[in-house]
Structure formats: structure tokens, C-alpha cells
Amino acid sequence: MSQALSLPPAATTRKTLTLFDSALIGPAILDAVMKLGPRTQLRSPVMFVVYVGSILTTLMYFQAVAGKGDTKSGFILAISVWLWFTVLFANFAEALAEGRSKAQAASLRGLKQTVSAKQLATPKYGTTWLPVPGADLRKGNTILVEAGDVIPIDGEVIEGVASVDESAITGESAPVIRESGGDFSAVTGGTRVLSDWLVVRVSVNPGETFLDRMISMVEGARRQKTPNEIALSILLVALSIVFLVVTVTLLPFSLFGVAAAGAGKPVSVTVLIALLVCLIPTTIGALLSSIGVAGMSRMMGANVIATSGRAVEAAGDVDVLLLDKTGTITLGNRQAAAFFPAPGVSEQELADVAQLASLADETPEGRSIVVLAKQRFNIRERDMASLQAKFIPFSANTRMSGIDVGARQVRKGAADSVKKHVEALGLPYPPEMARTVDDVSRRGSTPLVVVDDGRVMGVVELKDIVKGGIRERFAQLRRMGIKTVMITGDNRLTAAAIAAEAGVDDFLAEATPEDKLKLIRSYQAEGRLVAMTGDGTNDAPALAQADVAVAMNSGTQAAKEAGNMVDLDSNPTKLLEIVEIGKQMLMTRGSLTTFSIANDIAKYFAIIPAAFVGTYPQLKSLDVMQLASPDSAIMSAVIFNALIIVVLIPLALRGVRYRAIGAAALLRRNILIYGGGGIVLPFIGIKLIDMLLSALDLV
Ligand SMILES: Nc1ncnc2c1ncn2[C@@H]1O[C@H](COP(=O)(O)OP(=O)(O)OP(=O)(O)O)[C@@H](O)[C@H]1O
Ligand SMILES: [K+]
Ligand SMILES: [Mg+2]
């Protein structure tokens, strides 16, 4: 067994970077310069206007040097340089946000390694295996992984039980159990088997693994714009066009004013460009894409892999959260705990039939029944082949499983399903069973009724445990205005007991996969945004329908594929963080947009009097800021406009703090801070820059 395959320790692979990590700054500066191409610039129309302004003023500077300028060449150069800085600062903000995601992707790529696999000739343990390079494996191949092996690729366990170290991917050091059947059968490439062995059927082709998808998602975070982002971009473009028209029409006004008075100086094109840049919403235009990228990074930091930016955004507006019970609210390894025989049946007889019904049942429930019968009554496992029995597997629709031995039907399953099954055979269903079933259910356990060829034998109690700390977290969700609904295939009483213990707002019991889907659709029809958390194959259709679909990493491949997020920690209350990150992203975008527009209005008052006082001396009375000179006023506004981008980068990346107060209160608060701040700050900032410029005698 090659020990050289061991993975790097989790701590080094999941290193967290500080906001302005020195390792990120250098590359981001370089990247900011690389992003100066026109195609890249065109992605943000607002910044493209600044970009064109920078080029025009540069050209005008050379014209002025040649003696053909409409104003002093030094002034044009200074404006031009600061416009270029404005563009570069915006590029830098984006590059810095992307740098963080890229670092996260790189640490994931570190997990991808060339591993040799043990390919089996037949999908059966004990047959010979051949060493093949992991990259040669294809969907459908079967492989053996043993203690110490790195699992070469994603797959589904078809035989065996083993403990697996998934810390390289999840950061969680406790090993997890992976076994065939049930909801714990998916294994992820890059994780390591700690004990025992597994036979795994490869479920993907190379390049399509979970790790590959994570990497491409983290790297491509920027590429697709979300619907909200597109709407905002349209608003920003519209504002820019309005200001462009306003600025362009100022020139004839100025020329006309000078002609009419027979004195004064018309406004220069440089000043008009400066004015335009100050008026259009450059602050949000520069920071918009970083806000989106940073949101995805924060998800990743919370150990959630989001495969769609739209889902991250929708998370901020979720109204209803649906959770499946087993494996999501509870630990999910329901274990047989007790046998309750029907009248006239001994406990041993019940155990015997229950074991018979579970011989081929590979679910954790089925296996635990076989084990309990062995422990209690030393009933040895019989061989399915020599019994010539036919296996009837469990399905979420029939809610029963068992075997057929010739014409003899041995079954176990949900009480109502078994009752129907017995009555369909025209046999009596003992009324005493209902009491036992209710007693077991009220404890929050799952009752399975066992029936041997129509004769009801008794009840098996399956115990499950509610995950710790879940109650408080649901209370927190309630305070955020999110309704929690538990959906389960279990009966009403069990569901009610677990719902009460976990503290969910509502529950739906005896739900088939179709019922889960229907419930989601009905909420969506009311215009609500639905989040769903699930782990099982039977949750997959519902996950595919939900707006925000969080699959547990411990769950099945089908669930993970149907969802648009995977929680690496498999924590059902992770949605709290997901919602916070989504809300934070929406709020950051809203706050900075408010700030940006308020800011531009303030600049208008600083620049207009200064720019046109040469044309219309009456404007002097509007000059509330008493800036040193018209040139200094315009220069200061342009510098402020550029610097504010840099000042706000930390806020864009870190996000506005989310508080669990009502939406209206939050909105009021943010408008006050970012709208009010946006109006006041430029007056102070521009005045200070103006004083500094004249103190240094620069204008
Ligand atoms: N292996 C099995 N054999 C027979 N019956 C089973 C088996 N597993 C579960 N059942 C019965 O089927 C019912 C529904 O199954 P299950 O609990 O897995 O549904 P579910 O929709 O996944 O709900 P959840 O995972 O939220 O509890 C169970 O309550 C139980 O009565
Ligand atoms: K601006
Ligand atoms: Mg389930």
C-alpha cells in the first residue's frame, strides 16, 4: 500500500487569506494593468466612459503641448492621469476580488493529484484488480479502494462499509462512514479511506468530478451576470446616458453665454470630460463586479460551493425553507432499537421474520435490523441464494421492502402501507398494532410493521437523533422572517414529535417525492422564494425545483447534482449563513449604489459653479464651497472621485454587515448611512483635497 499518496493536511489546503493579503496585492496591481484592454473595459459601460475620457484627455494633452490646446497642458495632464487612476482603481478592485477566488481554486487544485486506481474486472469484492492510472477511469468502471488509498474519482459505493477522511475537501477532521445503499453512498475523489474497503462504481468521467466543478465554478464566478446585476447595469447605463447628454449640451450654452456677454471664457472640453466622469455613477460601476465575486468567495469560506450566482442572490430573499427529516434534521442513521411483537407472536419470531425481510436490504435501516436480530436472539443471517428468494427493494413510493420466497411474501414498511398490503390480501390487521405504532411514533422513532405472508408479526422501532443546536438556529431563521417546514416520508406522529423537538414552524408527513415537489411549486405560485435542504435520492426532484437548493455533501450523487449548492459540512442550518451572505451581497450592492448616486449629486454642486463661473459670473453666489480656484475645484472633484473607489474596496469585499432587524428598518438605516454619507462626504473630501492642492501650490 503506497503511503506516498497521503493528502496534504487540511490546514494547509484551506488556508484563509486576509482581505488585503500581501500575496494578493502584487498580482492584483499587475492584473489591474492587464485589464486595460478595450474589450475588458466594455464589460462595465460606466467605466468604459471613464476609459474613453482618459484616452481623449491624453490625446488633448499632446495637442496642448503642440500649442493647440483649449486650456493649460499641465491641467489637462493632471486630469488625464487621475482619470487613468480611476480606471486602474476599478480594475484593481475587481482583480483583488478575483485573486481571492483564484487562490481558493488553486488550493482546490492542489487536491487533484495523479492517483493509481485498482480497477476490478467484475463489480464484486474478492475478484482480481489491475492497477490503472486514475485518469483512465470512466463512468461505470468499478474500482476497489482500501484503507490508506486516496479515492481516485467520484463514485457510488456498491459494496462494503468504510470510514473516510474527507477533511481535505470539507475541512472537517472527523471521519465519515460511507456504505452502499441509503443516503451515505457517495464518495468524492481526493478523499482518503481510513479503514476497511469499498467497491465503488465510478459515476463521472475525468474532468467532470465534484472537485472539477468546484474549481471551474470558483474560477468562473465572474463570467455570468445575475438578473439583478443586469437590471442594475441597465440603470447605470441609463444614468450615464442622461449625464452624457447634459454635459454635451453644456458646451453650446457656454459658447452662447460668452458670445452674448462679449466677455469671459468658454468651458474647455477637458473640464466637460471631468464633469461627466464625476456625474456618472463610477463608484458602483467600479465596484459592482467585485461585490459579486466577493459574495461567491464568502460562500466558499462558509464551506458552501455554489454552482450558480443566481442562487447566491436568491438566497438573500428566501421566504420558506423546506428540510427533509432523516439525515438533514436528524443524524440519519436510523437504527433498529426494539421489537414489539403482535398478540400471539413471540419477540424471537418477530425478530426472525424482520431479519428475513431485511436480508437483502442494503439501507442503514435494513442492515441495523439484521444486526439487532443477531444480537438479541443470535439469529444467523440466511443466504438469499439458497433460499431462492427474490429481493423487493425499498422505494419511497411503496414505503415497503422485503423478499419473496416462492409465493411467500415477507414485508416490512410504513404502517399505513403495510395495512393496505394486508387488507388487499383480504386478511385482518390487528387493532393492537395501531397502539404500538403510535407509541413508537410519539417517541419520534420510525415504526416499521413486519408482515409474513399477510400475518402481521409486530413492529420494529427505528431510532434517530435530532442534530444538536438545531432549535436555536431555526429560531434565528424565524427572526429573519423565514418559515421552516420539515418534509418527511415518515408518519404524522413521528413527524410531529421530531418537528416539536427540532422547533420547525410546520411539517408535511407521509410525503412522496411528488408531494415534496408539489409543495415547493405551491409556495412558488404564491410568489415565494423557496430554499430546500436535502440529502437523499428521493429529494432530487424537489431540489431541482427549489430556487435555492442546498445538497448535503454527505448525501447521494443525485441530490448533489440536482442542487445548486453543496454544503461541505452537511449542516442543515447552514442555510442561515447562506441567507446572510446572500442578503449581505444584495445589501452591499444597494448601499453602494445609493452612496454612488448621492455622491455624484454632491459633486455636481462642487463642480458646476467652478466650471462655469468663467462664463456666468452670477454663479459665484452658488459657490458654497469656496474652493481655491475653478481648476482646483475640478481637480479635487476628479481626485475625490478616484480615491473613493479605493476607500470603498474593503466594504465591497467584506460586505455591509447584516443585522436581523426588519427589512424596512434595515432599508431606512442604510439609506440614512449611505445616502446621507454619500451627500456629505464629497463636500468634506473635496474641500480637504482642494486645501491640500493649494497648500502644496499644485494648482
Ligand atoms: N428500508 C426500508 N424498508 C422498508 N420501509 C422503509 C425503509 N426505510 C424507510 N421505510 C419506511 O418508509 C418511510 C419513508 O421513507 P423515508 O423516511 O426514507 O422517507 P423520506 O421521504 O426520505 O423522508 P425523510 O428522509 O425526510 O425522513 C419511512 O418512514 C419508513 O416507514
Ligand atoms: K462619479
Ligand atoms: Mg430522506
Side-chain angles (χ1 to χ4, degrees):
M1 197 53 260
S2 151
Q3 284 303 315
L5 293 178
S6 70
L7 285 167
T12 59
T13 54
R14 296 186 61 81
K15 171 172 173 288
T16 47
L17 291 157
T18 56
L19 202 53
F20 289 102
D21 205 289
S22 55
L24 294 177
I25 300 278
I29 292 174
L30 199 69
D31 210 18
V33 178
M34 305 291 283
K35 283 173 183 278
L36 280 178
R39 291 254 314 268
T40 318
Q41 289 301 314
L42 207 52
R43 276 210 306 259
S44 165
V46 178
M47 290 315 294
F48 189 72
V49 173
V50 185
Y51 179 71
V52 172
S54 313
I55 294 172
L56 282 179
T57 49
T58 307
L59 295 176
M60 275 155 41
Y61 165 67
F62 289 118
Q63 201 183 27
V65 168
K68 282 178 270 176
D70 61 354
T71 185
K72 286 167 291 180
S73 63
F75 176 70
I76 304 181
L77 178 65
I79 293 284
S80 179
V81 166
W82 277 99
L83 292 188
W84 281 117
F85 272 134
T86 312
V87 174
L88 284 171
F89 290 162
N91 289 354
F92 175 73
E94 190 182 69
L96 196 60
E98 286 169 359
R100 292 170 58 76
S101 313
K102 278 192 199 131
Q104 287 169 325
S107 78
L108 291 174
R109 204 173 295 109
L111 294 176
K112 285 190 62 157
Q113 45 191 324
T114 39
V115 178
S116 170
K118 300 168 179 173
Q119 188 173 355
L120 291 169
T122 66
K124 194 83 203 127
Y125 181 62
T127 57
T128 49
W129 57 266
L130 284 171
V132 298
D136 288 1
L137 292 174
R138 290 291 175 272
K139 198 169 169 170
N141 289 163
T142 45
I143 53 170
L144 172 70
V145 281
E146 296 172 294
D149 290 355
V150 170
I151 299 173
I153 194 164
D154 299 357
E156 202 81 37
V157 177
I158 52 176
E159 211 188 326
V161 185
S163 62
V164 176
D165 173 9
E166 295 198 334
S167 62
I169 284 187
T170 63
E172 171 61 60
S173 56
V176 293
I177 300 294
R178 290 288 172 259
E179 57 189 347
S180 58
D183 292 348
F184 297 98
S185 59
V187 289
T188 312
T191 60
R192 194 158 50 103
V193 180
L194 291 176
S195 71
D196 306 287
W197 53 267
L198 298 170
V199 174
V200 174
R201 184 187 297 115
V202 176
S203 59
V204 295
N205 287 320
E208 301 165 358
T209 65
F210 184 56
L211 210 54
D212 290 313
R213 282 191 292 146
M214 269 163 69
I215 293 168
S216 70
M217 170 268 133
V218 172
E219 282 181 337
R222 187 200 56 214
R223 275 189 273 281
Q224 335 103 341
K225 274 193 185 169
T226 62
N228 265 319
E229 253 180 303
I230 292 169
L232 182 55
S233 299
I234 292 171
L235 173 73
L236 297 183
V237 169
L239 276 175
S240 304
I241 292 172
V242 168
F243 285 121
L244 184 67
V245 171
V246 166
T247 321
V248 167
T249 51
L250 283 176
L251 187 61
F253 263 106
S254 174
L255 292 172
F256 175 77
V258 171
K265 238 176 69 191
V267 65
S268 70
V269 177
T270 306
V271 168
L272 285 181
I273 291 175
L275 178 66
L276 175 62
V277 169
C278 287
L279 292 185
I280 60 175
T282 47
T283 317
I284 184 66
L287 297 172
L288 188 58
S289 101
S290 344
I291 296 170
V293 177
M296 295 290 245
S297 283
R298 268 201 301 277
M299 280 291 181
M300 182 87 198
N303 259 353
V304 175
I305 307 300
T307 49
S308 110
R310 184 192 289 253
V312 176
E313 222 165 52
D317 286 327
V318 160
D319 314 276
V320 187
L321 167 59
L322 306 185
L323 304 112
D324 113 296
K325 175 178 80 71
T326 313
T328 304
I329 291 181
T330 66
L331 291 178
N333 49 345
R334 280 187 291 205
Q335 298 288 308
F339 295 113
F340 299 100
V345 180
S346 76
E347 204 178 331
Q348 178 158 5
E349 282 172 302
L350 167 61
D352 186 73
V353 179
Q355 195 201 49
L356 202 56
S358 307
L359 277 183
D361 184 358
E362 281 286 310
T363 64
E365 289 86 352
R367 249 194 311 257
S368 76
I369 293 173
V370 174
V371 170
L372 188 69
K374 209 182 315 187
Q375 281 171 351
R376 286 283 163 82
F377 302 103
N378 204 17
I379 302 169
R380 295 228 331 274
E381 259 183 73
R382 281 143 292 188
D383 180 29
M384 284 283 287
S386 63
L387 283 173
Q388 295 200 310
K390 181 167 157 263
F391 175 44
I392 311 293
F394 170 72
S395 93
N397 280 308
T398 61
R399 294 208 187 95
M400 288 197 298
S401 63
I403 57 171
D404 283 352
V405 187
R408 179 182 170 200
Q409 298 184 339
V410 184
R411 295 284 185 280
K412 64 171 192 299
D416 60 330
S417 308
V418 172
K419 186 163 185 249
K420 268 186 223 132
H421 165 79
V422 171
E423 283 167 357
L425 294 173
L427 292 163
Y429 184 81
E432 295 85 351
M433 278 298 92
R435 272 236 359 239
T436 318
V437 164
D438 285 3
D439 288 346
V440 170
S441 302
R442 276 202 196 90
R443 288 198 282 276
S445 297
T446 299
L448 287 189
V449 179
V450 180
V451 53
D452 186 1
D453 224 9
R455 180 178 175 218
V456 177
M457 303 297 290
V459 177
V460 182
E461 175 175 4
L462 300 173
K463 268 219 164 82
D464 199 358
I465 298 167
V466 172
K467 289 182 184 172
I470 224 168
R471 239 194 127 78
E472 305 81 70
R473 306 278 276 172
F474 286 153
Q476 245 170 305
L477 281 169
R478 196 168 305 122
R479 278 197 294 278
M480 286 172 136
I482 297 169
K483 179 176 173 178
T484 51
V485 183
M486 181 183 91
I487 37 179
T488 176
D490 250 323
N491 71 69
R492 281 193 63 82
L493 284 174
T494 306
I498 298 286
E501 194 181 338
V504 288
D505 295 325
D506 201 355
F507 68 88
L508 176 71
E510 288 165 5
T512 61
E514 293 80 52
D515 292 336
K516 298 183 185 184
L517 196 59
K518 241 188 268 163
L519 186 69
I520 295 185
R521 288 204 174 124
S522 72
Y523 277 121
Q524 285 171 334
E526 289 171 23
R528 306 222 213 178
L529 272 180
V530 181
M532 155 103 192
T533 312
D535 70 330
T537 300
N538 57 3
D539 299 323
L543 283 169
Q545 176 71 27
D547 301 288
V548 178
V550 189
M552 306 279 105
N553 188 45
S554 61
T556 60
Q557 197 71 29
K560 286 201 247 183
E561 254 153 49
N564 48 28
M565 293 187 196
V566 176
D567 175 22
L568 298 177
D569 300 329
S570 305
N571 173 0
T573 65
K574 184 60 75 66
L575 200 89
L576 229 112
E577 266 121 291
I578 295 175
V579 167
E580 274 185 15
I581 292 169
K583 280 200 194 299
Q584 202 181 26
M585 192 165 102
L586 293 175
M587 271 173 35
T588 307
R589 203 182 281 154
S591 301
L592 288 181
T593 304
T594 312
F595 182 90
S596 184
I597 293 171
N599 204 307
D600 295 335
I601 295 169
K603 270 175 252 164
Y604 182 85
F605 286 100
I607 300 186
I608 292 281
F612 294 95
V613 80
T615 313
Y616 299 102
Q618 310 89 292
L619 283 174
K620 194 94 192 125
S621 59
L622 264 183
D623 186 8
V624 287
M625 291 179 71
Q626 303 290 317
L627 301 175
S629 70
D631 279 2
S632 171
I634 289 152
M635 206 53 243
S636 305
V638 170
I639 294 176
F640 177 84
N641 190 58
L643 290 182
I644 197 71
I645 295 172
V646 182
V647 171
L648 290 175
I649 290 177
L651 188 66
L653 296 191
R654 208 178 279 141
V656 170
R657 259 268 301 284
Y658 171 73
R659 285 153 204 270
I661 55 176
L666 206 60
L667 189 67
R668 257 199 312 276
R669 197 172 162 268
N670 283 336
I671 287 184
L672 202 71
I673 295 177
Y674 295 96
I679 290 178
V680 176
L681 211 59
F683 285 101
I684 303 170
I686 292 173
K687 183 74 187 170
L688 286 178
I689 296 170
D690 174 75
M691 283 160 65
L692 191 70
L693 289 180
S694 42
L696 297 174
D697 214 12
L698 284 173
V699 278

